[in-house]
Amino acid sequence: MSTTSTTSSEQPSALQVGGKKRATRGRIIDCAIPLFSEFGYDKITMESLAKAAGISRANIYLHFKTKAELVAAMLAQLSPEVVDSYRRLDAIDPNDIGELRKWVENASQLWIDRQRQLETLEHALAVEPLVSARWYQTLSESADAMSAFLARYDEGHPRQRARLAAISTMLSFERTLYFVLVRDAPADLPVVIDVLTAQWHAVLGGDVVAAMPAPAPSQDL
């Protein structure tokens, strides 16, 4: 009678291990967001994050070496939503002020719905180069997703200037929403939305790029 070998089903598969790892990473991120929001990014330690997630300090370092890596992972989760939002903006007729305003209102709602995540982001941006690089990457990907806008400009320097105009407006846009919706800056939200709508109208309509001074000619040394 032959002996029966241990079946592979008794051992966790790579898929199961990967799924468990993703679940643990997700739990760490979910537990970190309210802690960062309540106590501040600087005051939270990796040990306190591990305790909140119900894992050991050694275990959390298997997933994230630093708080910056954790926030960068949080951004990676948020990025597709941000990129898709700017893709929808790109599909709007620049002269349709009503639709542009609706988009600004929807983008503002993201800051309301994800306030804790975005507040954590703002705290980390000030002190973590890894986080600021990841956020700029997200905005760069968002600009690249605005293919209709970029296609209006010739390849090379004109398109590069248009792309930079879009990214610069995104930075200003996100910062304004942070101060108004997260930090409760003394501003009338409907007026803020009107101003932001006008800014995007100027960029998408070409006024901002057209107002840029011509590049200085290169000089051979």
Side-chain angles (χ1 to χ4, degrees):
M1 182 177 180
S2 61
T3 59
T4 303
S5 60
T6 303
T7 61
S8 60
S9 61
E10 294 176 358
Q11 300 296 326
S13 67
L15 185 61
Q16 290 172 322
V17 172
K20 184 177 180 180
K21 183 177 181 180
R22 286 191 296 272
T24 301
R25 284 172 64 88
R27 186 168 75 253
I28 294 169
I29 292 172
D30 290 342
C31 292
I33 292 169
L35 284 179
F36 286 141
S37 179
E38 182 176 357
F39 299 104
Y41 180 82
D42 292 338
K43 294 182 180 180
I44 297 300
T45 65
M46 292 294 284
E47 185 174 1
S48 60
L49 291 172
K51 183 177 180 180
I55 61 176
S56 69
R57 182 177 179 180
N59 195 7
I60 196 172
Y61 283 107
L62 295 177
H63 299 276
F64 305 106
K65 301 299 183 185
T66 64
K67 291 187 295 182
E69 285 188 7
L70 194 158
V71 177
M74 182 194 77
L75 276 178
Q77 292 181 348
L78 184 62
S79 289
E81 186 174 357
V82 175
V83 173
D84 188 59
S85 176
Y86 283 109
R87 187 177 288 111
R88 290 195 300 272
L89 172 64
D90 188 54
I92 298 173
D93 181 345
N95 295 315
D96 191 337
I97 302 300
E99 286 301 311
L100 283 178
R101 195 178 194 283
K102 286 182 182 178
W103 179 86
V104 172
E105 289 175 340
N106 289 335
S108 301
Q109 188 62 43
L110 173 65
W111 278 82
I112 296 172
D113 295 341
R114 302 293 186 90
Q115 180 175 345
R116 283 185 162 184
Q117 284 175 282
L118 294 167
E119 185 178 23
T120 296
L121 166 63
E122 290 292 334
H123 290 173
L125 281 172
V127 295
E128 301 287 10
L130 175 65
V131 176
S132 58
R134 185 63 184 83
W135 186 234
Y136 194 85
Q137 178 185 338
T138 294
L139 297 185
S140 296
E141 292 169 357
S142 298
D144 291 335
M146 299 178 67
S147 55
F149 167 68
L150 295 177
R152 299 186 196 121
Y153 300 90
D154 294 335
E155 291 186 7
H157 196 72
R159 188 169 297 178
Q160 291 173 4
R161 287 158 66 88
R163 183 176 182 273
L164 184 56
I167 294 175
S168 178
T169 306
M170 290 174 190
L171 289 167
S172 174
F173 180 73
E174 306 293 349
R175 201 69 177 163
T176 299
L177 293 178
Y178 167 71
F179 277 105
V180 173
L181 297 177
V182 177
R183 288 301 180 188
D184 297 321
D188 186 1
L189 182 58
V191 175
V192 170
I193 290 176
D194 285 340
V195 171
L196 294 174
T197 300
Q199 289 175 350
W200 276 115
H201 171 66
V203 172
L204 298 178
D207 293 346
V208 170
V209 178
M212 291 182 180
S218 59
Q219 296 180 352
D220 296 330
L221 298 179

